Amino acid sequence: MHGQSRREYKARLLDREIAAKLGKKATQWNQLSDEVVTKRGLPACDFDTAAAASTPSPKVLLVLTEKMLSVNPDPTHLWNIRREMLIRPLGNGDKDTDGLGSSFTVE
């Protein structure tokens, strides 16, 4: 990585304990990523009432993306999902009890 010689970086990865921790971290990342994709389910541009009724609560996706972004803030698709959840209009059946949905007005 940055500021390290390649030899030091590779030597660190050869340690079984560190390799196991990194493998566990990668597995957790993949599980969270699959969960976000599964819960999101619908394309971002599909905002009709049927789609809004079947999408998960914005709070669920915000919590999941927060976990992922705290580990790695680089994936821009996660920031886009958060943005979509913050500007997503509430459907008739949605209740804004947590104050997270439709925080902004779109003109």
Side-chain angles (χ1 to χ4, degrees), residues 42 46-55 91:
L42 295 172
D46 196 2
F47 284 134
D48 63 358
T49 55
S54 64
T55 57

Side-chain angles (χ1 to χ4, degrees), residues 3 10 22 39 41 45 61 66 82 86 92-93 102-103 105:
K10 294 276 186 177
L22 290 174
K39 291 204 183 291
C45 60
L61 284 171
E66 178 184 3
R82 289 181 67 83
L86 291 171
N92 294 339
S102 70
S103 300
T105 56

Side-chain angles (χ1 to χ4, degrees), residues 7-70:
R7 185 175 310 193
E8 291 172 2
Y9 182 71
K10 294 276 186 177
R12 186 176 67 120
L13 293 177
L14 292 176
D15 182 12
R16 291 184 192 272
E17 186 176 320
I18 292 175
K21 286 180 183 178
L22 290 174
K24 183 178 177 183
K25 187 176 181 180
T27 301
Q28 290 173 342
W29 176 269
N30 289 335
Q31 288 173 346
L32 272 175
S33 183
D34 290 343
E35 190 173 352
V36 166
V37 169
T38 301
K39 291 204 183 291
R40 183 173 176 216
L42 295 172
C45 60
D46 196 2
F47 284 134
D48 63 358
T49 55
S54 64
T55 57
S57 161
K59 187 173 184 177
V60 172
L61 284 171
L62 288 172
V63 169
L64 289 173
T65 55
E66 178 184 3
K67 284 181 187 178
M68 293 182 74
L69 289 167
S70 66

